[in-house]
Amino acid sequence: MRIGVISDTHGLFDRAILRHFSGVDHILHAGDIGRGDVLAQLQRIAPVTAVSGNVDGFEASGVPVEQLVELVGHRIAITHRLYEGGRLTKDGMDLLARLRPAVCVYGHTHQPKAEWRDGVLLFNPGSAGPKRFHLPRAVGVLLLGHDSVESRHILLADRAE
């Protein structure tokens, strides 16, 4: 199963996503969706599971702050803030202990990152929104098999198509 992973769109739907997510089976959005029709655009590609972020006002947005989905037998947690200031947050540690996922998708830092921690893949696709700071714009893909999880990042141009 091929999963498109996106975060921190901040209201921007880059048309490059259509190409990079072509043929995905599901899309995970890790928050800071922003205004506009980003989720509707993504839903035209594949089913979407999304969480809200600080830009969305968390609970006030009506989008959950965390989600747990099971795809190909893998439990995948989705949250916006897992890291803050370069460190795993207490809430992040609690979420991992409570949900016991195989993969945790998160956003907020705008930094593409994939790391294994205590047998859990922590995956941040990076930011697909307007370029900020010196960080690259990016999305991610998870490839899920019955006994395997692979991840990769796809860099986007500095400006949206």
Side-chain angles (χ1 to χ4, degrees):
M1 183 175 237
R2 190 167 175 255
I3 311 300
V5 186
I6 190 168
S7 186
D8 296 279
T9 47
H10 294 264
L12 174 67
F13 182 82
D14 185 342
R15 295 194 53 77
I17 305 290
L18 296 169
R19 184 172 62 258
H20 296 305
F21 284 1
S22 175
V24 299
D25 301 294
H26 201 98
I27 297 172
L28 307 176
H29 194 306
D32 277 3
I33 301 159
R35 298 180 194 263
D37 65 348
V38 171
L39 292 182
Q41 293 279 353
L42 292 172
Q43 288 168 339
R44 291 183 183 133
I45 301 168
V48 176
T49 302
V51 297
S52 59
N54 52 293
V55 163
D56 308 312
F58 290 115
E59 292 89 353
S61 71
V63 177
V65 295
E66 69 180 47
Q67 295 258 30
L68 181 68
V69 294
E70 188 164 324
L71 301 169
V72 193
H74 298 282
R75 291 168 58 90
I76 302 172
I78 310 150
T79 189
H80 183 61
R81 274 191 191 154
L82 190 69
Y83 279 86
E84 186 78 50
R87 296 183 175 227
L88 192 61
T89 65
K90 181 182 179 327
D91 287 343
M93 289 186 279
D94 291 347
L95 176 133
L96 294 172
R98 181 171 37 86
L99 299 181
R100 304 176 56 97
V103 177
C104 184
V105 168
Y106 67 100
H108 188 60
T109 67
H110 292 221
Q111 296 175 316
K113 190 172 182 179
E115 69 173 312
W116 288 91
R117 184 180 178 115
D118 300 324
V120 178
L121 174 61
L122 305 180
F123 187 76
N124 185 330
S127 170
K131 184 167 177 69
R132 294 176 59 187
F133 318 115
H134 63 283
L135 299 169
R137 295 177 61 245
V139 294
V141 172
L142 295 174
L143 301 171
L144 304 178
H146 290 289
D147 296 319
S148 64
V149 175
E150 295 177 39
S151 65
R152 66 182 170 115
H153 290 97
I154 300 167
L155 295 181
L156 302 172
D158 283 351
R159 304 192 96 186
E161 290 181 9

